mmCIF file of all heavy atoms in Angstrom:
data_model
loop_
_atom_site.group_PDB
_atom_site.id
_atom_site.type_symbol
_atom_site.label_atom_id
_atom_site.label_comp_id
_atom_site.label_asym_id
_atom_site.label_seq_id
_atom_site.Cartn_x
_atom_site.Cartn_y
_atom_site.Cartn_z
ATOM 1 N N GLN A 1 0.369 5.707 -1.054
ATOM 2 C CA GLN A 1 0.712 6.779 -0.134
ATOM 3 C C GLN A 1 2.053 6.544 0.544
ATOM 4 O O GLN A 1 2.665 7.508 1.032
ATOM 5 C CB GLN A 1 -0.389 6.925 0.926
ATOM 6 C CG GLN A 1 -1.707 7.382 0.411
ATOM 7 C CD GLN A 1 -2.735 7.539 1.539
ATOM 8 O OE1 GLN A 1 -2.644 6.841 2.539
ATOM 9 N NE2 GLN A 1 -3.666 8.434 1.351
ATOM 10 N N VAL A 2 2.521 5.336 0.570
ATOM 11 C CA VAL A 2 3.758 4.982 1.190
ATOM 12 C C VAL A 2 4.823 4.578 0.179
ATOM 13 O O VAL A 2 4.598 3.775 -0.699
ATOM 14 C CB VAL A 2 3.607 3.830 2.181
ATOM 15 C CG1 VAL A 2 4.940 3.454 2.827
ATOM 16 C CG2 VAL A 2 2.617 4.198 3.283
ATOM 17 N N GLN A 3 5.981 5.193 0.230
ATOM 18 C CA GLN A 3 7.101 4.865 -0.662
ATOM 19 C C GLN A 3 8.274 4.378 0.178
ATOM 20 O O GLN A 3 8.627 4.993 1.189
ATOM 21 C CB GLN A 3 7.492 6.061 -1.503
ATOM 22 C CG GLN A 3 6.538 6.414 -2.589
ATOM 23 C CD GLN A 3 7.097 7.524 -3.488
ATOM 24 O OE1 GLN A 3 7.381 8.618 -3.053
ATOM 25 N NE2 GLN A 3 7.233 7.206 -4.786
ATOM 26 N N LEU A 4 8.923 3.360 -0.265
ATOM 27 C CA LEU A 4 10.129 2.822 0.327
ATOM 28 C C LEU A 4 11.229 2.813 -0.750
ATOM 29 O O LEU A 4 10.999 2.212 -1.784
ATOM 30 C CB LEU A 4 9.897 1.393 0.877
ATOM 31 C CG LEU A 4 8.817 1.243 1.918
ATOM 32 C CD1 LEU A 4 8.638 -0.247 2.244
ATOM 33 C CD2 LEU A 4 9.165 1.992 3.198
ATOM 34 N N VAL A 5 12.349 3.466 -0.464
ATOM 35 C CA VAL A 5 13.386 3.593 -1.451
ATOM 36 C C VAL A 5 14.697 2.969 -0.904
ATOM 37 O O VAL A 5 15.224 3.471 0.114
ATOM 38 C CB VAL A 5 13.652 5.042 -1.845
ATOM 39 C CG1 VAL A 5 14.786 5.152 -2.864
ATOM 40 C CG2 VAL A 5 12.383 5.690 -2.349
ATOM 41 N N GLU A 6 15.155 1.918 -1.519
ATOM 42 C CA GLU A 6 16.378 1.243 -1.131
ATOM 43 C C GLU A 6 17.576 1.821 -1.823
ATOM 44 O O GLU A 6 17.525 2.318 -2.927
ATOM 45 C CB GLU A 6 16.299 -0.270 -1.451
ATOM 46 C CG GLU A 6 15.110 -1.002 -0.852
ATOM 47 C CD GLU A 6 14.021 -1.210 -1.855
ATOM 48 O OE1 GLU A 6 13.880 -0.396 -2.811
ATOM 49 O OE2 GLU A 6 13.206 -2.159 -1.699
ATOM 50 N N SER A 7 18.773 1.694 -1.153
ATOM 51 C CA SER A 7 20.002 2.091 -1.704
ATOM 52 C C SER A 7 21.120 1.281 -1.102
ATOM 53 O O SER A 7 20.943 0.686 -0.034
ATOM 54 C CB SER A 7 20.249 3.615 -1.543
ATOM 55 O OG SER A 7 20.333 3.911 -0.150
ATOM 56 N N GLY A 8 22.277 1.253 -1.763
ATOM 57 C CA GLY A 8 23.469 0.631 -1.225
ATOM 58 C C GLY A 8 23.840 -0.684 -1.887
ATOM 59 O O GLY A 8 24.924 -1.247 -1.551
ATOM 60 N N GLY A 9 23.045 -1.188 -2.803
ATOM 61 C CA GLY A 9 23.393 -2.402 -3.512
ATOM 62 C C GLY A 9 24.562 -2.173 -4.435
ATOM 63 O O GLY A 9 24.917 -1.095 -4.762
ATOM 64 N N GLY A 10 25.149 -3.302 -4.834
ATOM 65 C CA GLY A 10 26.286 -3.246 -5.739
ATOM 66 C C GLY A 10 27.057 -4.543 -5.810
ATOM 67 O O GLY A 10 26.544 -5.602 -5.396
ATOM 68 N N LEU A 11 28.260 -4.496 -6.342
ATOM 69 C CA LEU A 11 29.095 -5.642 -6.538
ATOM 70 C C LEU A 11 30.153 -5.691 -5.448
ATOM 71 O O LEU A 11 30.833 -4.667 -5.214
ATOM 72 C CB LEU A 11 29.778 -5.643 -7.906
ATOM 73 C CG LEU A 11 30.785 -6.745 -8.198
ATOM 74 C CD1 LEU A 11 30.092 -8.120 -8.194
ATOM 75 C CD2 LEU A 11 31.461 -6.483 -9.547
ATOM 76 N N VAL A 12 30.341 -6.814 -4.820
ATOM 77 C CA VAL A 12 31.368 -6.997 -3.755
ATOM 78 C C VAL A 12 31.943 -8.379 -3.838
ATOM 79 O O VAL A 12 31.288 -9.338 -4.223
ATOM 80 C CB VAL A 12 30.743 -6.690 -2.382
ATOM 81 C CG1 VAL A 12 29.678 -7.716 -2.023
ATOM 82 C CG2 VAL A 12 31.813 -6.621 -1.304
ATOM 83 N N GLN A 13 33.219 -8.487 -3.434
ATOM 84 C CA GLN A 13 33.874 -9.810 -3.383
ATOM 85 C C GLN A 13 33.410 -10.582 -2.149
ATOM 86 O O GLN A 13 33.033 -10.011 -1.132
ATOM 87 C CB GLN A 13 35.370 -9.671 -3.347
ATOM 88 C CG GLN A 13 35.975 -9.117 -4.663
ATOM 89 C CD GLN A 13 37.475 -9.080 -4.598
ATOM 90 O OE1 GLN A 13 38.115 -8.956 -3.548
ATOM 91 N NE2 GLN A 13 38.109 -9.212 -5.784
ATOM 92 N N ALA A 14 33.465 -11.887 -2.258
ATOM 93 C CA ALA A 14 33.130 -12.757 -1.107
ATOM 94 C C ALA A 14 34.020 -12.372 0.078
ATOM 95 O O ALA A 14 35.198 -12.146 -0.060
ATOM 96 C CB ALA A 14 33.339 -14.220 -1.459
ATOM 97 N N GLY A 15 33.383 -12.284 1.263
ATOM 98 C CA GLY A 15 34.061 -11.882 2.446
ATOM 99 C C GLY A 15 33.981 -10.410 2.740
ATOM 100 O O GLY A 15 34.318 -9.967 3.833
ATOM 101 N N GLY A 16 33.499 -9.629 1.794
ATOM 102 C CA GLY A 16 33.377 -8.237 1.945
ATOM 103 C C GLY A 16 32.117 -7.817 2.620
ATOM 104 O O GLY A 16 31.331 -8.651 3.118
ATOM 105 N N SER A 17 31.852 -6.518 2.662
ATOM 106 C CA SER A 17 30.679 -6.003 3.361
ATOM 107 C C SER A 17 29.927 -4.962 2.499
ATOM 108 O O SER A 17 30.536 -4.300 1.598
ATOM 109 C CB SER A 17 31.087 -5.284 4.681
ATOM 110 O OG SER A 17 31.733 -6.209 5.549
ATOM 111 N N LEU A 18 28.658 -4.829 2.787
ATOM 112 C CA LEU A 18 27.816 -3.818 2.174
ATOM 113 C C LEU A 18 26.787 -3.364 3.193
ATOM 114 O O LEU A 18 26.382 -4.134 4.069
ATOM 115 C CB LEU A 18 27.068 -4.376 0.932
ATOM 116 C CG LEU A 18 27.806 -4.464 -0.372
ATOM 117 C CD1 LEU A 18 26.891 -5.094 -1.409
ATOM 118 C CD2 LEU A 18 28.269 -3.092 -0.850
ATOM 119 N N THR A 19 26.309 -2.115 3.027
ATOM 120 C CA THR A 19 25.274 -1.586 3.880
ATOM 121 C C THR A 19 24.098 -1.162 3.010
ATOM 122 O O THR A 19 24.273 -0.304 2.124
ATOM 123 C CB THR A 19 25.771 -0.402 4.714
ATOM 124 O OG1 THR A 19 26.865 -0.790 5.549
ATOM 125 C CG2 THR A 19 24.668 0.093 5.611
ATOM 126 N N LEU A 20 22.945 -1.733 3.275
ATOM 127 C CA LEU A 20 21.749 -1.300 2.527
ATOM 128 C C LEU A 20 20.910 -0.422 3.442
ATOM 129 O O LEU A 20 20.797 -0.607 4.631
ATOM 130 C CB LEU A 20 20.896 -2.568 2.213
ATOM 131 C CG LEU A 20 21.575 -3.620 1.413
ATOM 132 C CD1 LEU A 20 20.554 -4.734 1.090
ATOM 133 C CD2 LEU A 20 22.175 -3.085 0.124
ATOM 134 N N SER A 21 20.330 0.611 2.795
ATOM 135 C CA SER A 21 19.487 1.573 3.500
ATOM 136 C C SER A 21 18.122 1.644 2.851
ATOM 137 O O SER A 21 18.006 1.491 1.639
ATOM 138 C CB SER A 21 20.156 2.933 3.557
ATOM 139 O OG SER A 21 21.342 2.931 4.267
ATOM 140 N N CYS A 22 17.111 1.929 3.615
ATOM 141 C CA CYS A 22 15.747 2.089 3.147
ATOM 142 C C CYS A 22 15.188 3.372 3.769
ATOM 143 O O CYS A 22 15.136 3.471 5.023
ATOM 144 C CB CYS A 22 14.925 0.867 3.499
ATOM 145 S SG CYS A 22 13.148 1.036 3.154
ATOM 146 N N ALA A 23 14.709 4.261 2.912
ATOM 147 C CA ALA A 23 14.095 5.494 3.395
ATOM 148 C C ALA A 23 12.589 5.425 3.168
ATOM 149 O O ALA A 23 12.165 5.187 2.038
ATOM 150 C CB ALA A 23 14.722 6.689 2.657
ATOM 151 N N ALA A 24 11.807 5.642 4.191
ATOM 152 C CA ALA A 24 10.363 5.600 4.130
ATOM 153 C C ALA A 24 9.811 7.045 3.993
ATOM 154 O O ALA A 24 10.373 7.952 4.563
ATOM 155 C CB ALA A 24 9.782 4.948 5.346
ATOM 156 N N SER A 25 8.696 7.139 3.279
ATOM 157 C CA SER A 25 8.085 8.427 3.084
ATOM 158 C C SER A 25 7.150 8.849 4.197
ATOM 159 O O SER A 25 6.548 9.916 4.187
ATOM 160 C CB SER A 25 7.332 8.462 1.750
ATOM 161 O OG SER A 25 6.247 7.535 1.779
ATOM 162 N N ILE A 26 7.005 7.984 5.214
ATOM 163 C CA ILE A 26 6.131 8.265 6.350
ATOM 164 C C ILE A 26 6.925 8.041 7.638
ATOM 165 O O ILE A 26 7.968 7.397 7.628
ATOM 166 C CB ILE A 26 4.857 7.372 6.352
ATOM 167 C CG1 ILE A 26 5.252 5.917 6.524
ATOM 168 C CG2 ILE A 26 4.011 7.620 5.151
ATOM 169 C CD1 ILE A 26 4.069 4.995 6.734
ATOM 170 N N ARG A 27 6.346 8.507 8.730
ATOM 171 C CA ARG A 27 6.954 8.240 10.042
ATOM 172 C C ARG A 27 6.832 6.738 10.365
ATOM 173 O O ARG A 27 5.770 6.158 10.204
ATOM 174 C CB ARG A 27 6.283 9.077 11.103
ATOM 175 C CG ARG A 27 6.445 10.591 10.921
ATOM 176 C CD ARG A 27 5.534 11.379 11.786
ATOM 177 N NE ARG A 27 5.827 11.227 13.184
ATOM 178 C CZ ARG A 27 5.080 11.721 14.184
ATOM 179 N NH1 ARG A 27 3.964 12.348 13.924
ATOM 180 N NH2 ARG A 27 5.468 11.534 15.429
ATOM 181 N N ILE A 28 7.909 6.155 10.866
ATOM 182 C CA ILE A 28 7.882 4.701 11.158
ATOM 183 C C ILE A 28 7.991 4.353 12.609
ATOM 184 O O ILE A 28 8.012 3.152 12.960
ATOM 185 C CB ILE A 28 9.003 3.994 10.402
ATOM 186 C CG1 ILE A 28 10.391 4.401 10.946
ATOM 187 C CG2 ILE A 28 8.967 4.328 8.909
ATOM 188 C CD1 ILE A 28 11.496 3.547 10.456
ATOM 189 N N PHE A 29 8.002 5.320 13.525
ATOM 190 C CA PHE A 29 8.209 5.038 14.925
ATOM 191 C C PHE A 29 7.162 4.065 15.487
ATOM 192 O O PHE A 29 7.474 3.312 16.418
ATOM 193 C CB PHE A 29 8.262 6.317 15.764
ATOM 194 C CG PHE A 29 6.958 6.976 16.003
ATOM 195 C CD1 PHE A 29 6.266 6.714 17.198
ATOM 196 C CD2 PHE A 29 6.352 7.783 15.071
ATOM 197 C CE1 PHE A 29 5.054 7.304 17.468
ATOM 198 C CE2 PHE A 29 5.126 8.396 15.331
ATOM 199 C CZ PHE A 29 4.478 8.161 16.520
ATOM 200 N N SER A 30 5.955 4.079 14.992
ATOM 201 C CA SER A 30 4.875 3.223 15.497
ATOM 202 C C SER A 30 4.608 2.036 14.586
ATOM 203 O O SER A 30 3.735 1.214 14.881
ATOM 204 C CB SER A 30 3.599 4.012 15.722
ATOM 205 O OG SER A 30 3.153 4.569 14.506
ATOM 206 N N ILE A 31 5.358 1.924 13.469
ATOM 207 C CA ILE A 31 5.187 0.806 12.560
ATOM 208 C C ILE A 31 5.656 -0.464 13.209
ATOM 209 O O ILE A 31 6.781 -0.536 13.721
ATOM 210 C CB ILE A 31 5.908 1.046 11.253
ATOM 211 C CG1 ILE A 31 5.292 2.276 10.517
ATOM 212 C CG2 ILE A 31 5.824 -0.163 10.362
ATOM 213 C CD1 ILE A 31 3.840 2.107 10.139
ATOM 214 N N ASN A 32 4.835 -1.509 13.178
ATOM 215 C CA ASN A 32 5.125 -2.751 13.917
ATOM 216 C C ASN A 32 6.447 -3.412 13.492
ATOM 217 O O ASN A 32 7.287 -3.734 14.285
ATOM 218 C CB ASN A 32 3.964 -3.743 13.777
ATOM 219 C CG ASN A 32 2.698 -3.234 14.387
ATOM 220 O OD1 ASN A 32 1.950 -2.515 13.742
ATOM 221 N ND2 ASN A 32 2.456 -3.590 15.612
ATOM 222 N N PHE A 33 6.631 -3.594 12.169
ATOM 223 C CA PHE A 33 7.816 -4.227 11.675
ATOM 224 C C PHE A 33 8.375 -3.529 10.472
ATOM 225 O O PHE A 33 7.638 -3.124 9.556
ATOM 226 C CB PHE A 33 7.544 -5.694 11.303
ATOM 227 C CG PHE A 33 7.358 -6.598 12.475
ATOM 228 C CD1 PHE A 33 6.083 -6.985 12.866
ATOM 229 C CD2 PHE A 33 8.452 -7.058 13.144
ATOM 230 C CE1 PHE A 33 5.909 -7.817 13.959
ATOM 231 C CE2 PHE A 33 8.275 -7.909 14.263
ATOM 232 C CZ PHE A 33 7.002 -8.278 14.667
ATOM 233 N N MET A 34 9.685 -3.407 10.439
ATOM 234 C CA MET A 34 10.421 -3.004 9.251
ATOM 235 C C MET A 34 11.419 -4.149 8.943
ATOM 236 O O MET A 34 11.973 -4.718 9.833
ATOM 237 C CB MET A 34 11.212 -1.687 9.464
ATOM 238 C CG MET A 34 10.409 -0.502 9.778
ATOM 239 S SD MET A 34 9.337 0.016 8.389
ATOM 240 C CE MET A 34 10.563 0.441 7.182
ATOM 241 N N GLY A 35 11.552 -4.459 7.679
ATOM 242 C CA GLY A 35 12.378 -5.612 7.384
ATOM 243 C C GLY A 35 13.011 -5.606 5.995
ATOM 244 O O GLY A 35 12.741 -4.736 5.185
ATOM 245 N N TRP A 36 13.812 -6.589 5.781
ATOM 246 C CA TRP A 36 14.491 -6.837 4.496
ATOM 247 C C TRP A 36 14.191 -8.257 4.030
ATOM 248 O O TRP A 36 14.323 -9.186 4.819
ATOM 249 C CB TRP A 36 15.976 -6.634 4.596
ATOM 250 C CG TRP A 36 16.409 -5.181 4.751
ATOM 251 C CD1 TRP A 36 16.618 -4.529 5.910
ATOM 252 C CD2 TRP A 36 16.665 -4.285 3.702
ATOM 253 N NE1 TRP A 36 16.964 -3.223 5.638
ATOM 254 C CE2 TRP A 36 17.011 -3.038 4.293
ATOM 255 C CE3 TRP A 36 16.555 -4.324 2.306
ATOM 256 C CZ2 TRP A 36 17.302 -1.905 3.535
ATOM 257 C CZ3 TRP A 36 16.860 -3.157 1.547
ATOM 258 C CH2 TRP A 36 17.219 -1.996 2.158
ATOM 259 N N TYR A 37 13.847 -8.374 2.781
ATOM 260 C CA TYR A 37 13.667 -9.655 2.106
ATOM 261 C C TYR A 37 14.530 -9.717 0.905
ATOM 262 O O TYR A 37 14.983 -8.670 0.394
ATOM 263 C CB TYR A 37 12.195 -9.858 1.700
ATOM 264 C CG TYR A 37 11.239 -10.039 2.852
ATOM 265 C CD1 TYR A 37 10.883 -8.976 3.680
ATOM 266 C CD2 TYR A 37 10.622 -11.261 3.064
ATOM 267 C CE1 TYR A 37 9.990 -9.156 4.736
ATOM 268 C CE2 TYR A 37 9.714 -11.447 4.106
ATOM 269 C CZ TYR A 37 9.403 -10.364 4.952
ATOM 270 O OH TYR A 37 8.528 -10.560 5.969
ATOM 271 N N ARG A 38 14.768 -10.908 0.353
ATOM 272 C CA ARG A 38 15.574 -11.030 -0.842
ATOM 273 C C ARG A 38 14.980 -12.108 -1.733
ATOM 274 O O ARG A 38 14.294 -13.007 -1.267
ATOM 275 C CB ARG A 38 17.033 -11.305 -0.544
ATOM 276 C CG ARG A 38 17.287 -12.703 0.113
ATOM 277 C CD ARG A 38 18.782 -12.805 0.545
ATOM 278 N NE ARG A 38 19.056 -14.082 1.111
ATOM 279 C CZ ARG A 38 20.259 -14.393 1.704
ATOM 280 N NH1 ARG A 38 21.192 -13.463 1.767
ATOM 281 N NH2 ARG A 38 20.413 -15.587 2.194
ATOM 282 N N GLN A 39 15.277 -11.963 -2.999
ATOM 283 C CA GLN A 39 14.743 -12.925 -3.997
ATOM 284 C C GLN A 39 15.732 -13.159 -5.111
ATOM 285 O O GLN A 39 16.334 -12.232 -5.660
ATOM 286 C CB GLN A 39 13.412 -12.403 -4.561
ATOM 287 C CG GLN A 39 12.722 -13.407 -5.478
ATOM 288 C CD GLN A 39 11.281 -12.986 -5.830
ATOM 289 O OE1 GLN A 39 10.983 -11.766 -5.800
ATOM 290 N NE2 GLN A 39 10.460 -13.934 -6.152
ATOM 291 N N VAL A 40 15.895 -14.431 -5.439
ATOM 292 C CA VAL A 40 16.733 -14.879 -6.583
ATOM 293 C C VAL A 40 15.819 -15.311 -7.679
ATOM 294 O O VAL A 40 14.783 -15.935 -7.428
ATOM 295 C CB VAL A 40 17.709 -15.971 -6.150
ATOM 296 C CG1 VAL A 40 18.545 -16.449 -7.347
ATOM 297 C CG2 VAL A 40 18.602 -15.521 -5.009
ATOM 298 N N SER A 41 16.168 -15.072 -8.914
ATOM 299 C CA SER A 41 15.351 -15.498 -10.050
ATOM 300 C C SER A 41 15.028 -17.003 -9.937
ATOM 301 O O SER A 41 15.934 -17.800 -9.779
ATOM 302 C CB SER A 41 16.067 -15.236 -11.353
ATOM 303 O OG SER A 41 16.249 -13.831 -11.535
#
């Protein structure tokens, strides 16, 4: 019932910047935590 869609990833040089966004399919105002995790192979 809940979908989270990320965007903004890509290739950047060291020292540069990127902005990641996540759009939720439900209202999040009362959701306890929203976060970002990462994983390397």
Side-chain angles (χ1 to χ4, degrees):
Q1 292 181 332
V2 178
Q3 286 186 302
L4 302 173
V5 181
E6 303 100 333
S7 63
L11 175 65
V12 65
Q13 292 184 331
S17 299
L18 280 176
T19 301
L20 303 183
S21 296
C22 172
S25 64
I26 63 171
R27 297 167 66 188
I28 68 168
F29 77 96
S30 62
I31 296 298
N32 297 86
F33 288 101
M34 297 295 297
W36 288 93
Y37 290 71
R38 66 187 181 188
Q39 186 170 25
V40 178
S41 295

